[in-house]
Amino acid sequence: MIGREQSTNFLRGLSYVLCRLQELKAYWLIHSQDLYEKANIAQSMGYEKDLPEKISSRLTQLFNFSDESVQPVAFESQLSELLRNKSISDVAKIIHCSLIKLVKGQQQRIEKLADEPTFLLLIEASELLELGREKIGSSDALIEIDLAILNEDERDEKAALGQISVLPGRPDSFVYSPEKDCDPEAASACETELAKFIHFVAIHIEVCAMEVCSYNILTYADMPQKFRTDMAQQIWDEGRHFLIFAEYLKSHLDTEIGDYPYQLDVWLKHQKGTGLLEQLAIEQVLQEGDAVGHNLRLIAGLKKVERYPELRELLSFINADETIHTRIGNKWLTYMCEQHHDNYLEILHTAAEKIGKTIPGNVKLRPAMLEFLGFPEVYREHLMALNIPRKPKPVVNKELSTES
């Protein structure tokens, strides 16, 4: 049996390594040229997204009042050695599989009744890690990680994953076009335009959004753990959306991913933002918020022409996810504005100007929907002030009218 202190140290080390594994996967996702591989990495990240927070909760129950994960001794030097000799994808698989073995071994050493909450948490962790391994693949080249011995005072320098590429990876066989080649307004009436539009959304919107959120995890590592969890949530969702659209194109519209040119506008617009505040405003608030309205419009258009009932249902599920992403963006943008004494409206207008958007967007949403999407009261009041009522038509005195 292991004692409370040993159990606590193991969990603190596990939380640290899980966060580093998340960063490895985020870097791998951005640079991978295989879009289906990106989606699988995204699913793996989604399965594990809540584990660090659950570990933190259990640590509090064990009288550990620090919410900070602690670096295991020698882990960063082990990681540096791996990165010198292997690809990021191989390193991620090695760390992932090594953790599964380690977590299962720890389960056997726990006093199951005294430390039952930790025992059950480790069962959940191993099951989720197993699901993640099914998505990214296995490795036989395991390493020994001692999670119970921690660098409490002095930490090793973090192993560098490398510079994030200016542009995310795409298959060499795909054709890039800076211009959108589809007409969303015609998508509900023309099957060819619908195929082009879904193809556009699958790569340009969903894949780019995965990459943008991965960039945020890597670039803003000092944000609270909940921020990383929310980014991983969106990465997971966008990965599923890509797979849904790819399958629908193939099964219903006789189209494969890559049949049409791709764009990178979502990624490029995000990069125009200066710092996290503007980048959150650009991607999660302005673009995801607009996507909610556009999806509602497309669903209504498809329903009106009584076509593609299965697609309408798929879009309804996807749009539910997009509302969550907008809420995430507004939550963290509001949080950051409060922390840094910035003005929410000023940030939003600056971000909109940088990407050539107007406020509000092309699709106007009802106040109740804006509130549900997390837009603060100051924004809703701002939109109400923009809706200047039309001047009333002059009343014609019939008695004085020349027509009387």
Side-chain angles (χ1 to χ4, degrees):
M1 183 186 85
I2 62 173
R4 182 187 65 81
E5 184 175 352
Q6 290 172 295
S7 188
T8 298
N9 286 351
F10 182 89
L11 290 177
R12 295 172 78 193
L14 177 60
S15 178
Y16 180 89
V17 176
L18 282 168
C19 289
R20 290 296 272 153
L21 178 59
Q22 185 185 64
E23 292 167 3
L24 284 166
K25 291 179 181 178
Y27 188 92
W28 176 16
L29 189 154
I30 291 172
H31 293 85
S32 172
Q33 291 187 313
D34 185 333
L35 303 191
Y36 289 91
E37 183 175 72
K38 289 177 187 282
N40 284 329
I41 299 167
Q43 287 182 289
S44 179
M45 292 175 73
Y47 295 158
E48 302 146 24
K49 65 183 175 63
D50 292 324
L51 287 178
E53 286 193 82
K54 290 181 177 180
I55 291 170
S56 179
S57 176
R58 177 57 185 152
L59 285 170
T60 302
Q61 296 165 358
L62 288 167
F63 288 139
N64 181 83
F65 299 110
S66 172
D67 60 357
E68 186 178 28
S69 58
V70 182
Q71 187 184 94
V73 167
F75 174 75
E76 288 298 333
S77 59
Q78 288 176 304
L79 184 55
S80 293
E81 181 65 23
L82 287 172
L83 291 170
R84 277 193 293 271
N85 298 295
K86 298 182 180 295
S87 67
I88 283 281
S89 58
D90 285 341
V91 174
K93 292 174 187 178
I94 290 169
I95 299 297
H96 192 115
C97 293
S98 299
L99 272 186
I100 293 174
K101 180 183 177 182
L102 202 60
V103 168
K104 287 183 175 179
Q106 184 75 354
Q107 290 174 30
Q108 306 307 314
R109 293 190 290 272
I110 286 178
E111 209 299 319
K112 293 183 179 60
L113 186 59
D115 201 8
E116 189 173 34
T118 301
F119 177 74
L120 295 175
L121 176 59
L122 293 181
I123 289 177
E124 180 182 7
S126 64
E127 289 176 350
L128 291 171
L129 286 165
E130 285 283 9
L131 287 173
R133 175 164 64 177
E134 291 174 12
K135 294 298 179 182
I136 65 169
S138 297
S139 173
D140 296 326
L142 304 186
I143 62 171
E144 294 293 331
I145 309 171
D146 193 335
L147 297 183
I149 303 177
L150 307 177
N151 281 329
E152 293 281 1
D153 300 319
E154 294 185 15
R155 298 191 178 198
D156 296 334
E157 185 176 347
K158 277 192 171 184
L161 303 185
Q163 290 289 326
I164 299 173
S165 177
V166 174
L167 297 176
R170 292 292 181 271
D172 292 334
S173 60
F174 282 21
V175 176
Y176 172 74
S177 170
E179 303 296 332
K180 182 167 67 175
D181 65 342
C182 62
D183 181 6
E185 300 301 323
S188 59
C190 173
E191 190 162 289
T192 300
E193 287 299 326
L194 181 62
K196 284 184 178 181
F197 178 67
I198 292 178
H199 187 277
F200 168 82
V201 172
I203 302 180
H204 174 66
I205 306 296
E206 311 300 350
V207 174
C208 279
M210 282 191 268
E211 293 158 341
V212 161
C213 292
S214 296
Y215 175 94
N216 287 347
I217 286 173
L218 291 167
T219 306
Y220 305 110
D222 57 344
M223 286 291 287
Q225 177 58 51
K226 182 61 180 172
F227 174 80
R228 298 167 65 114
T229 302
D230 285 344
M231 291 298 104
Q233 172 72 55
Q234 184 171 345
I235 291 167
W236 181 28
D237 294 341
E238 309 294 12
R240 290 185 291 105
H241 299 172
F242 168 78
L243 294 172
I244 288 168
F245 283 134
E247 173 57 29
Y248 190 87
L249 284 170
K250 186 175 182 179
S251 60
H252 289 74
L253 299 172
D254 195 28
T255 303
E256 297 279 355
I257 291 293
D259 282 355
Y260 299 109
Y262 71 92
Q263 288 78 41
L264 291 171
D265 195 47
V266 166
W267 171 271
L268 295 172
K269 283 181 175 177
H270 175 264
Q271 296 297 298
K272 289 182 179 181
T274 302
L276 181 57
L277 278 162
E278 289 183 8
Q279 289 176 338
L280 282 170
I282 288 171
E283 167 56 19
Q284 276 79 11
V285 178
L286 292 171
Q287 298 198 112
E288 292 284 346
D290 251 10
V292 171
H294 284 295
N295 285 337
L296 290 173
R297 178 182 283 179
L298 178 57
I299 292 167
L302 293 173
K303 188 173 183 180
K304 186 175 182 180
V305 298
E306 299 182 342
R307 301 180 74 187
Y308 311 110
E310 183 179 343
L311 178 59
R312 297 202 306 264
E313 286 301 322
L314 292 173
L315 286 170
S316 294
F317 279 109
I318 288 169
N319 210 37
D321 290 337
E322 305 298 2
T323 63
I324 294 172
H325 305 160
T326 310
R327 288 169 66 90
I328 286 172
N330 272 313
K331 176 180 77 173
W332 288 108
L333 182 56
T334 304
Y335 167 84
M336 293 288 289
C337 285
E338 290 173 352
Q339 291 288 311
H340 300 281
H341 308 290
D342 285 287
N343 183 289
Y344 177 95
L345 285 178
E346 287 181 7
I347 294 293
L348 218 57
H349 279 287
T350 299
E353 185 177 352
K354 285 189 175 183
I355 62 172
K357 268 191 175 291
T358 59
I359 297 177
N362 296 329
V363 182
K364 294 183 180 180
L365 300 172
R366 300 190 310 274
M369 175 59 85
L370 290 172
E371 185 175 3
F372 182 77
L373 292 172
F375 285 97
E377 186 176 356
V378 65
Y379 177 80
R380 303 197 302 272
E381 289 178 348
H382 175 66
L383 292 194
M384 289 179 65
L386 292 177
N387 292 331
I388 302 171
R390 295 178 181 176
K391 292 182 180 180
K393 294 181 179 179
V395 177
V396 178
N397 188 328
K398 291 184 178 180
E399 295 180 359
L400 299 178
S401 171
T402 55
E403 296 177 4
S404 60

